[in-house]
Amino acid sequence: LATLDHPHIGRVFTYFEAHNTAYYVTEHIDGPSLADVAAEYRKHLGYIPQQPLYGLMVRMLDALDYLHSNNILHLDIKPDNILVTRNGSPVLIDFGAARNMQEHTTAQVVETPGYSPPEQGHPNGKLCPASDLYAFAATLYYALTAQALPPGRQRELYDTLTPLSNMPHLRAHYHPQLLASIDKALSPAAENRYAAAALWLHDLRSR
């Protein structure tokens, strides 16, 4: 993590051991969480304007593309783990659950209900970049609807989720392809999602 250098990923400066455990030291990000930003938009406008939402998506997907190219999965993306600086720049933080893709390919990490993908709840679930993309899409779902998704395993067994692209109040404010791209990343089956952040970015930029 300390080798990473990306403007939208919180820097890790060093790590140390104490009290029979390990700690790492990160930069201080001056800004609220995405959960707080979304709440403020809903309070004053009723929705997040498309331009800042699009900008956040592009920047975070670029960060995830960089992270995955370095063989690292975050595995705990959620509204509280994306901070927004005073100039509106999103920063991904909290790498406590992160895993090296070359060393850890099965699910042995803590789940966050409503954000973790179904495979993260399986003892032998195969984790991959699409796992992080599901969690980011779930984070966007919350930002747009103020509702968390049902648990991943529940959606895998019986999915009743209404696609964002089918919600009239969202279609009134957002490009349908933007909404459809989030829906795709939210597919319970990993093979139906984007396999890489770059593919999602391509869809967004071609809208």
mmCIF file of all heavy atoms in Angstrom, residues 147-182:
data_model
loop_
_atom_site.group_PDB
_atom_site.id
_atom_site.type_symbol
_atom_site.label_atom_id
_atom_site.label_comp_id
_atom_site.label_asym_id
_atom_site.label_seq_id
_atom_site.Cartn_x
_atom_site.Cartn_y
_atom_site.Cartn_z
ATOM 1 N N GLN A 147 -30.675 4.403 0.226
ATOM 2 C CA GLN A 147 -30.978 3.050 0.698
ATOM 3 C C GLN A 147 -29.801 2.126 0.391
ATOM 4 O O GLN A 147 -29.238 2.178 -0.698
ATOM 5 C CB GLN A 147 -32.236 2.499 0.009
ATOM 6 C CG GLN A 147 -33.496 3.313 0.227
ATOM 7 C CD GLN A 147 -33.997 3.233 1.658
ATOM 8 O OE1 GLN A 147 -33.853 2.195 2.307
ATOM 9 N NE2 GLN A 147 -34.586 4.309 2.147
ATOM 10 N N ALA A 148 -29.455 1.281 1.343
ATOM 11 C CA ALA A 148 -28.447 0.256 1.088
ATOM 12 C C ALA A 148 -29.099 -0.933 0.392
ATOM 13 O O ALA A 148 -30.305 -1.168 0.536
ATOM 14 C CB ALA A 148 -27.787 -0.188 2.391
ATOM 15 N N LEU A 149 -28.320 -1.659 -0.357
ATOM 16 C CA LEU A 149 -28.820 -2.857 -1.031
ATOM 17 C C LEU A 149 -29.135 -3.958 -0.023
ATOM 18 O O LEU A 149 -28.601 -3.964 1.090
ATOM 19 C CB LEU A 149 -27.755 -3.392 -1.995
ATOM 20 C CG LEU A 149 -27.396 -2.571 -3.216
ATOM 21 C CD1 LEU A 149 -26.208 -3.215 -3.909
ATOM 22 C CD2 LEU A 149 -28.567 -2.465 -4.166
ATOM 23 N N PRO A 150 -29.964 -4.924 -0.405
ATOM 24 C CA PRO A 150 -30.081 -6.138 0.415
ATOM 25 C C PRO A 150 -28.722 -6.846 0.450
ATOM 26 O O PRO A 150 -27.881 -6.626 -0.424
ATOM 27 C CB PRO A 150 -31.119 -6.980 -0.351
ATOM 28 C CG PRO A 150 -31.841 -6.014 -1.224
ATOM 29 C CD PRO A 150 -30.848 -4.955 -1.582
ATOM 30 N N PRO A 151 -28.472 -7.692 1.446
ATOM 31 C CA PRO A 151 -27.202 -8.419 1.507
ATOM 32 C C PRO A 151 -26.929 -9.188 0.218
ATOM 33 O O PRO A 151 -27.860 -9.671 -0.443
ATOM 34 C CB PRO A 151 -27.397 -9.374 2.689
ATOM 35 C CG PRO A 151 -28.424 -8.693 3.546
ATOM 36 C CD PRO A 151 -29.349 -7.993 2.593
ATOM 37 N N GLY A 152 -25.659 -9.287 -0.133
ATOM 38 C CA GLY A 152 -25.280 -9.926 -1.388
ATOM 39 C C GLY A 152 -25.773 -11.350 -1.530
ATOM 40 O O GLY A 152 -26.273 -11.741 -2.589
ATOM 41 N N ARG A 153 -25.647 -12.149 -0.485
ATOM 42 C CA ARG A 153 -26.088 -13.547 -0.563
ATOM 43 C C ARG A 153 -27.584 -13.622 -0.804
ATOM 44 O O ARG A 153 -28.071 -14.508 -1.505
ATOM 45 C CB ARG A 153 -25.714 -14.289 0.733
ATOM 46 C CG ARG A 153 -24.236 -14.502 0.950
ATOM 47 C CD ARG A 153 -23.637 -15.455 -0.067
ATOM 48 N NE ARG A 153 -24.273 -16.759 -0.026
ATOM 49 C CZ ARG A 153 -23.945 -17.728 0.830
ATOM 50 N NH1 ARG A 153 -23.016 -17.520 1.745
ATOM 51 N NH2 ARG A 153 -24.555 -18.881 0.774
ATOM 52 N N GLN A 154 -28.340 -12.708 -0.205
ATOM 53 C CA GLN A 154 -29.791 -12.685 -0.417
ATOM 54 C C GLN A 154 -30.112 -12.376 -1.874
ATOM 55 O O GLN A 154 -30.979 -13.015 -2.479
ATOM 56 C CB GLN A 154 -30.431 -11.634 0.486
ATOM 57 C CG GLN A 154 -31.943 -11.500 0.310
ATOM 58 C CD GLN A 154 -32.529 -10.429 1.222
ATOM 59 O OE1 GLN A 154 -32.115 -10.294 2.375
ATOM 60 N NE2 GLN A 154 -33.477 -9.664 0.707
ATOM 61 N N ARG A 155 -29.409 -11.414 -2.465
ATOM 62 C CA ARG A 155 -29.649 -11.067 -3.870
ATOM 63 C C ARG A 155 -29.274 -12.219 -4.788
ATOM 64 O O ARG A 155 -29.876 -12.412 -5.837
ATOM 65 C CB ARG A 155 -28.841 -9.830 -4.247
ATOM 66 C CG ARG A 155 -29.290 -8.553 -3.567
ATOM 67 C CD ARG A 155 -28.658 -7.351 -4.230
ATOM 68 N NE ARG A 155 -29.112 -7.239 -5.603
ATOM 69 C CZ ARG A 155 -28.347 -6.868 -6.618
ATOM 70 N NH1 ARG A 155 -27.068 -6.585 -6.417
ATOM 71 N NH2 ARG A 155 -28.840 -6.786 -7.830
ATOM 72 N N GLU A 156 -28.271 -12.963 -4.395
ATOM 73 C CA GLU A 156 -27.831 -14.102 -5.195
ATOM 74 C C GLU A 156 -28.916 -15.173 -5.262
ATOM 75 O O GLU A 156 -29.129 -15.809 -6.296
ATOM 76 C CB GLU A 156 -26.554 -14.678 -4.596
ATOM 77 C CG GLU A 156 -25.911 -15.787 -5.397
ATOM 78 C CD GLU A 156 -24.644 -16.271 -4.738
ATOM 79 O OE1 GLU A 156 -24.638 -16.438 -3.491
ATOM 80 O OE2 GLU A 156 -23.660 -16.475 -5.445
ATOM 81 N N LEU A 157 -29.646 -15.345 -4.149
ATOM 82 C CA LEU A 157 -30.681 -16.379 -4.079
ATOM 83 C C LEU A 157 -32.019 -15.899 -4.640
ATOM 84 O O LEU A 157 -32.731 -16.651 -5.301
ATOM 85 C CB LEU A 157 -30.862 -16.813 -2.615
ATOM 86 C CG LEU A 157 -29.651 -17.472 -1.961
ATOM 87 C CD1 LEU A 157 -29.892 -17.662 -0.474
ATOM 88 C CD2 LEU A 157 -29.345 -18.804 -2.634
ATOM 89 N N TYR A 158 -32.344 -14.626 -4.352
ATOM 90 C CA TYR A 158 -33.656 -14.126 -4.764
ATOM 91 C C TYR A 158 -33.553 -12.616 -4.918
ATOM 92 O O TYR A 158 -33.653 -11.881 -3.941
ATOM 93 C CB TYR A 158 -34.721 -14.495 -3.716
ATOM 94 C CG TYR A 158 -36.130 -14.133 -4.116
ATOM 95 C CD1 TYR A 158 -36.732 -14.716 -5.229
ATOM 96 C CD2 TYR A 158 -36.851 -13.200 -3.373
ATOM 97 C CE1 TYR A 158 -38.027 -14.384 -5.588
ATOM 98 C CE2 TYR A 158 -38.149 -12.864 -3.726
ATOM 99 C CZ TYR A 158 -38.730 -13.460 -4.846
ATOM 100 O OH TYR A 158 -40.013 -13.128 -5.212
ATOM 101 N N ASP A 159 -33.335 -12.172 -6.148
ATOM 102 C CA ASP A 159 -33.079 -10.762 -6.386
ATOM 103 C C ASP A 159 -34.350 -10.039 -6.833
ATOM 104 O O ASP A 159 -34.908 -10.337 -7.881
ATOM 105 C CB ASP A 159 -31.992 -10.592 -7.444
ATOM 106 C CG ASP A 159 -31.562 -9.146 -7.588
ATOM 107 O OD1 ASP A 159 -31.732 -8.386 -6.623
ATOM 108 O OD2 ASP A 159 -31.058 -8.783 -8.671
ATOM 109 N N THR A 160 -34.795 -9.091 -6.030
ATOM 110 C CA THR A 160 -35.988 -8.311 -6.363
ATOM 111 C C THR A 160 -35.644 -6.834 -6.562
ATOM 112 O O THR A 160 -36.543 -5.993 -6.593
ATOM 113 C CB THR A 160 -37.036 -8.427 -5.238
ATOM 114 O OG1 THR A 160 -36.463 -7.941 -4.003
ATOM 115 C CG2 THR A 160 -37.483 -9.879 -5.053
ATOM 116 N N LEU A 161 -34.370 -6.534 -6.706
ATOM 117 C CA LEU A 161 -33.937 -5.139 -6.803
ATOM 118 C C LEU A 161 -34.436 -4.495 -8.098
ATOM 119 O O LEU A 161 -34.272 -5.045 -9.185
ATOM 120 C CB LEU A 161 -32.414 -5.058 -6.755
ATOM 121 C CG LEU A 161 -31.826 -3.665 -6.590
ATOM 122 C CD1 LEU A 161 -32.088 -3.149 -5.177
ATOM 123 C CD2 LEU A 161 -30.329 -3.683 -6.881
ATOM 124 N N THR A 162 -35.043 -3.315 -7.972
ATOM 125 C CA THR A 162 -35.457 -2.547 -9.148
ATOM 126 C C THR A 162 -34.236 -1.828 -9.711
ATOM 127 O O THR A 162 -33.560 -1.092 -8.990
ATOM 128 C CB THR A 162 -36.523 -1.502 -8.778
ATOM 129 O OG1 THR A 162 -37.657 -2.164 -8.235
ATOM 130 C CG2 THR A 162 -36.936 -0.688 -10.001
ATOM 131 N N PRO A 163 -33.909 -2.018 -10.990
ATOM 132 C CA PRO A 163 -32.746 -1.336 -11.570
ATOM 133 C C PRO A 163 -32.896 0.177 -11.476
ATOM 134 O O PRO A 163 -33.996 0.721 -11.609
ATOM 135 C CB PRO A 163 -32.752 -1.807 -13.033
ATOM 136 C CG PRO A 163 -33.512 -3.097 -13.016
ATOM 137 C CD PRO A 163 -34.555 -2.938 -11.955
ATOM 138 N N LEU A 164 -31.789 0.853 -11.256
ATOM 139 C CA LEU A 164 -31.807 2.315 -11.205
ATOM 140 C C LEU A 164 -32.343 2.903 -12.501
ATOM 141 O O LEU A 164 -33.046 3.914 -12.498
ATOM 142 C CB LEU A 164 -30.397 2.841 -10.940
ATOM 143 C CG LEU A 164 -29.769 2.486 -9.591
ATOM 144 C CD1 LEU A 164 -28.302 2.913 -9.564
ATOM 145 C CD2 LEU A 164 -30.536 3.131 -8.449
ATOM 146 N N SER A 165 -32.009 2.260 -13.610
ATOM 147 C CA SER A 165 -32.427 2.768 -14.921
ATOM 148 C C SER A 165 -33.926 2.632 -15.146
ATOM 149 O O SER A 165 -34.456 3.165 -16.119
ATOM 150 C CB SER A 165 -31.663 2.051 -16.038
ATOM 151 O OG SER A 165 -31.802 0.648 -15.923
ATOM 152 N N ASN A 166 -34.619 1.928 -14.254
ATOM 153 C CA ASN A 166 -36.075 1.796 -14.352
ATOM 154 C C ASN A 166 -36.812 2.729 -13.389
ATOM 155 O O ASN A 166 -38.039 2.678 -13.302
ATOM 156 C CB ASN A 166 -36.514 0.355 -14.066
ATOM 157 C CG ASN A 166 -36.151 -0.588 -15.200
ATOM 158 O OD1 ASN A 166 -35.688 -0.154 -16.255
ATOM 159 N ND2 ASN A 166 -36.340 -1.877 -14.984
ATOM 160 N N MET A 167 -36.047 3.567 -12.651
ATOM 161 C CA MET A 167 -36.679 4.459 -11.685
ATOM 162 C C MET A 167 -36.928 5.826 -12.329
ATOM 163 O O MET A 167 -35.971 6.548 -12.651
ATOM 164 C CB MET A 167 -35.779 4.617 -10.452
ATOM 165 C CG MET A 167 -35.551 3.325 -9.689
ATOM 166 S SD MET A 167 -34.521 3.608 -8.210
ATOM 167 C CE MET A 167 -34.366 1.944 -7.578
ATOM 168 N N PRO A 168 -38.196 6.187 -12.560
ATOM 169 C CA PRO A 168 -38.503 7.447 -13.266
ATOM 170 C C PRO A 168 -37.885 8.681 -12.624
ATOM 171 O O PRO A 168 -37.416 9.583 -13.333
ATOM 172 C CB PRO A 168 -40.032 7.509 -13.234
ATOM 173 C CG PRO A 168 -40.469 6.085 -13.088
ATOM 174 C CD PRO A 168 -39.414 5.437 -12.243
ATOM 175 N N HIS A 169 -37.855 8.765 -11.291
ATOM 176 C CA HIS A 169 -37.327 9.967 -10.648
ATOM 177 C C HIS A 169 -35.826 10.113 -10.862
ATOM 178 O O HIS A 169 -35.292 11.232 -10.836
ATOM 179 C CB HIS A 169 -37.660 9.973 -9.151
ATOM 180 C CG HIS A 169 -36.974 8.916 -8.353
ATOM 181 N ND1 HIS A 169 -37.322 7.578 -8.426
ATOM 182 C CD2 HIS A 169 -35.955 8.997 -7.449
ATOM 183 C CE1 HIS A 169 -36.556 6.888 -7.607
ATOM 184 N NE2 HIS A 169 -35.720 7.715 -7.009
ATOM 185 N N LEU A 170 -35.118 8.988 -11.086
ATOM 186 C CA LEU A 170 -33.692 9.065 -11.400
ATOM 187 C C LEU A 170 -33.477 9.356 -12.883
ATOM 188 O O LEU A 170 -32.573 10.122 -13.248
ATOM 189 C CB LEU A 170 -32.982 7.773 -10.994
ATOM 190 C CG LEU A 170 -32.923 7.473 -9.499
ATOM 191 C CD1 LEU A 170 -32.162 6.187 -9.238
ATOM 192 C CD2 LEU A 170 -32.291 8.625 -8.720
ATOM 193 N N ARG A 171 -34.288 8.783 -13.728
ATOM 194 C CA ARG A 171 -34.171 9.022 -15.167
ATOM 195 C C ARG A 171 -34.417 10.502 -15.504
ATOM 196 O O ARG A 171 -33.956 10.999 -16.535
ATOM 197 C CB ARG A 171 -35.149 8.138 -15.938
ATOM 198 C CG ARG A 171 -34.799 6.653 -15.892
ATOM 199 C CD ARG A 171 -35.828 5.832 -16.662
ATOM 200 N NE ARG A 171 -35.810 6.142 -18.079
ATOM 201 C CZ ARG A 171 -35.072 5.511 -18.973
ATOM 202 N NH1 ARG A 171 -34.267 4.526 -18.586
ATOM 203 N NH2 ARG A 171 -35.117 5.836 -20.243
ATOM 204 N N ALA A 172 -35.127 11.201 -14.631
ATOM 205 C CA ALA A 172 -35.383 12.623 -14.863
ATOM 206 C C ALA A 172 -34.119 13.464 -14.660
ATOM 207 O O ALA A 172 -34.048 14.590 -15.157
ATOM 208 C CB ALA A 172 -36.483 13.108 -13.923
ATOM 209 N N HIS A 173 -33.124 12.923 -13.949
ATOM 210 C CA HIS A 173 -31.933 13.704 -13.619
ATOM 211 C C HIS A 173 -30.645 13.148 -14.204
ATOM 212 O O HIS A 173 -29.641 13.883 -14.269
ATOM 213 C CB HIS A 173 -31.775 13.791 -12.099
ATOM 214 C CG HIS A 173 -32.913 14.469 -11.408
ATOM 215 N ND1 HIS A 173 -33.205 15.803 -11.581
ATOM 216 C CD2 HIS A 173 -33.844 13.985 -10.541
ATOM 217 C CE1 HIS A 173 -34.260 16.128 -10.851
ATOM 218 N NE2 HIS A 173 -34.666 15.041 -10.197
ATOM 219 N N TYR A 174 -30.636 11.867 -14.600
ATOM 220 C CA TYR A 174 -29.388 11.235 -15.032
ATOM 221 C C TYR A 174 -29.529 10.579 -16.397
ATOM 222 O O TYR A 174 -30.596 10.065 -16.748
ATOM 223 C CB TYR A 174 -28.937 10.191 -14.003
ATOM 224 C CG TYR A 174 -28.841 10.735 -12.601
ATOM 225 C CD1 TYR A 174 -29.809 10.433 -11.643
ATOM 226 C CD2 TYR A 174 -27.798 11.581 -12.237
ATOM 227 C CE1 TYR A 174 -29.737 10.941 -10.358
ATOM 228 C CE2 TYR A 174 -27.717 12.100 -10.952
ATOM 229 C CZ TYR A 174 -28.689 11.783 -10.021
ATOM 230 O OH TYR A 174 -28.619 12.293 -8.757
ATOM 231 N N HIS A 175 -28.415 10.569 -17.120
ATOM 232 C CA HIS A 175 -28.371 9.909 -18.414
ATOM 233 C C HIS A 175 -28.664 8.417 -18.220
ATOM 234 O O HIS A 175 -28.097 7.778 -17.327
ATOM 235 C CB HIS A 175 -26.987 10.091 -19.037
ATOM 236 C CG HIS A 175 -26.913 9.749 -20.486
ATOM 237 N ND1 HIS A 175 -26.977 8.457 -20.953
ATOM 238 C CD2 HIS A 175 -26.790 10.541 -21.590
ATOM 239 C CE1 HIS A 175 -26.873 8.449 -22.261
ATOM 240 N NE2 HIS A 175 -26.769 9.706 -22.677
ATOM 241 N N PRO A 176 -29.535 7.828 -19.040
ATOM 242 C CA PRO A 176 -29.886 6.413 -18.839
ATOM 243 C C PRO A 176 -28.687 5.473 -18.917
ATOM 244 O O PRO A 176 -28.663 4.447 -18.228
ATOM 245 C CB PRO A 176 -30.897 6.126 -19.959
ATOM 246 C CG PRO A 176 -30.901 7.302 -20.847
ATOM 247 C CD PRO A 176 -30.338 8.458 -20.102
ATOM 248 N N GLN A 177 -27.683 5.817 -19.727
ATOM 249 C CA GLN A 177 -26.517 4.935 -19.831
ATOM 250 C C GLN A 177 -25.685 4.972 -18.552
ATOM 251 O O GLN A 177 -25.074 3.977 -18.173
ATOM 252 C CB GLN A 177 -25.655 5.325 -21.032
ATOM 253 C CG GLN A 177 -24.571 4.296 -21.345
ATOM 254 C CD GLN A 177 -23.893 4.559 -22.671
ATOM 255 O OE1 GLN A 177 -24.502 5.080 -23.603
ATOM 256 N NE2 GLN A 177 -22.627 4.214 -22.757
ATOM 257 N N LEU A 178 -25.664 6.119 -17.895
ATOM 258 C CA LEU A 178 -24.961 6.213 -16.608
ATOM 259 C C LEU A 178 -25.630 5.296 -15.590
ATOM 260 O O LEU A 178 -24.960 4.529 -14.888
ATOM 261 C CB LEU A 178 -24.948 7.657 -16.126
ATOM 262 C CG LEU A 178 -24.202 7.966 -14.822
ATOM 263 C CD1 LEU A 178 -23.639 9.385 -14.849
ATOM 264 C CD2 LEU A 178 -25.101 7.803 -13.599
ATOM 265 N N LEU A 179 -26.958 5.364 -15.510
ATOM 266 C CA LEU A 179 -27.698 4.504 -14.578
ATOM 267 C C LEU A 179 -27.530 3.040 -14.939
ATOM 268 O O LEU A 179 -27.333 2.186 -14.065
ATOM 269 C CB LEU A 179 -29.177 4.891 -14.577
ATOM 270 C CG LEU A 179 -29.509 6.295 -14.069
ATOM 271 C CD1 LEU A 179 -30.998 6.583 -14.268
ATOM 272 C CD2 LEU A 179 -29.121 6.466 -12.612
ATOM 273 N N ALA A 180 -27.605 2.738 -16.245
ATOM 274 C CA ALA A 180 -27.479 1.343 -16.689
ATOM 275 C C ALA A 180 -26.100 0.780 -16.364
ATOM 276 O O ALA A 180 -25.958 -0.420 -16.081
ATOM 277 C CB ALA A 180 -27.757 1.244 -18.185
ATOM 278 N N SER A 181 -25.072 1.629 -16.395
ATOM 279 C CA SER A 181 -23.720 1.145 -16.087
ATOM 280 C C SER A 181 -23.617 0.736 -14.611
ATOM 281 O O SER A 181 -22.968 -0.255 -14.276
ATOM 282 C CB SER A 181 -22.675 2.214 -16.429
ATOM 283 O OG SER A 181 -22.660 3.262 -15.473
ATOM 284 N N ILE A 182 -24.284 1.500 -13.739
ATOM 285 C CA ILE A 182 -24.294 1.130 -12.321
ATOM 286 C C ILE A 182 -25.065 -0.180 -12.141
ATOM 287 O O ILE A 182 -24.639 -1.072 -11.392
ATOM 288 C CB ILE A 182 -24.917 2.247 -11.464
ATOM 289 C CG1 ILE A 182 -24.135 3.550 -11.628
ATOM 290 C CG2 ILE A 182 -24.943 1.839 -9.984
ATOM 291 C CD1 ILE A 182 -24.770 4.748 -10.934
#
